[in-house]
Amino acid sequence: MITLYGIKNCDTVKKARKWLEQNAVEYRFHDFREDGMDTVPLASWLEQFGWEQVLNRRSTSWRALDQTQKDAMDNTSAATLANETPTLIKRPVLTKGGDTLFGFKADTYASFAK
């Protein structure tokens, strides 16, 4: 089963959901805010990809961090901050089995969803 993680009002998440629905891809949506972070495999993502790929450094949440937090960022601090502020996570996150994609690109989704 494919799971799409994100926040329902995020424009990129909306595009991903629309693409999945238009292409008749069955998926489960997990909203970081509404469904919580308890079942999000954040630690696994950080271990596999590193905080640099998991966190969205162009987000307003990232810009709101003070420079000391940014300079000291590592997987441990990223996990703590992302659990407190899920909008720091690059969205959407698409998972299927052990595979994970960050962001949305239609051509990548097409090959991933097969």
Side-chain angles (χ1 to χ4, degrees), residues 18-36:
K18 183 177 180 179
W19 187 94
L20 291 166
E21 290 161 9
Q22 287 178 338
N23 287 277
V25 176
E26 211 173 296
Y27 71 97
R28 177 178 133 334
F29 179 62
H30 181 99
D31 188 301
F32 292 137
R33 288 184 178 149
E34 291 182 13
D35 301 323

